[in-house]
Amino acid sequence: MLRRKVAIFFGSMLLGIGINGFIVPFHLLDGGMIGISLLVKYVWGYKVGLTLILLSIPIYFLAWKLERRYFINSVHGLLVSSLIIDLLSPLRGMFSVSIIEGSVIGGLFIGTGIGWMLRYETSTGGTDLLALFVSRWLSINVGMVIFFIDAAVILAGLYVIGEGILLYSLVTILSVGFATMTMTLIRSINFYRSV
């Protein structure tokens, strides 16, 4: 239980740094609920964390019906990460990097944070939680599921962010997917070594 709490806090810090320090300053997108929350921020100015909570409610109803363990494990991740994302908003503009560096570094921070939480069977909820269900139903890596969901959100956001930012946002989701897959593969390797 303590490990899960530490994973939630550590993963949430990485998410908050990645989003606020590297993604938002360039108006880049991630995928999933975070990406949709970023779109809402760019268009209407609402807080990313609060929007993340509100958009995740329908998926949490699904989790409550299908797998309450995921609901219980993920609701803490959602609440803590959303709070930390909003608390770390002063990081915007703090790092002096180019847009390509921001897209890669931000993606790696976000993907590592998500992957770290997934290693301890928790998540930020939203499409990460949905990806957990899909990966179990289809027996594929959760990072790949997240990648495809993220790509769909990026393409949907094309009209909001414009074509110029689209390429960099795709780099972001590739970085997120890479880091998430790496973290979840490390978990799989450690599991098989202990068996």
Side-chain angles (χ1 to χ4, degrees), residues 102-150:
S103 63
V104 172
I105 295 168
L108 291 175
F109 266 95
I110 293 167
T112 303
I114 290 170
W116 194 268
M117 287 193 275
L118 289 173
R119 285 179 66 179
Y120 292 92
E121 296 186 352
T122 188
S123 74
T124 59
T127 54
D128 297 341
L129 188 56
L130 186 61
L132 277 172
F133 289 128
V134 172
S135 72
R136 292 211 175 180
W137 294 332
L138 301 179
S139 298
I140 58 176
N141 185 284
V142 69
M144 287 301 294
V145 178
I146 290 171
F147 172 77
F148 287 116
I149 293 171
D150 290 353

Side-chain angles (χ1 to χ4, degrees), residues 53-146:
I53 291 171
L54 295 174
L55 293 175
S56 295
I57 290 172
I59 294 174
Y60 273 91
F61 281 124
L62 178 68
W64 181 258
K65 283 191 86 144
L66 297 178
E67 185 67 59
R68 290 196 181 168
R69 180 175 59 97
Y70 285 165
F71 173 87
I72 293 165
N73 290 345
S74 295
V75 74
H76 299 106
L78 171 69
L79 296 175
V80 171
S81 63
S82 296
L83 176 66
I84 289 178
I85 288 168
D86 287 346
L87 285 176
L88 292 181
S89 63
L91 291 178
R92 294 176 189 155
M94 190 172 204
F95 302 105
S96 180
V97 296
S98 68
I99 188 170
I100 188 67
E101 292 169 330
S103 63
V104 172
I105 295 168
L108 291 175
F109 266 95
I110 293 167
T112 303
I114 290 170
W116 194 268
M117 287 193 275
L118 289 173
R119 285 179 66 179
Y120 292 92
E121 296 186 352
T122 188
S123 74
T124 59
T127 54
D128 297 341
L129 188 56
L130 186 61
L132 277 172
F133 289 128
V134 172
S135 72
R136 292 211 175 180
W137 294 332
L138 301 179
S139 298
I140 58 176
N141 185 284
V142 69
M144 287 301 294
V145 178
I146 290 171

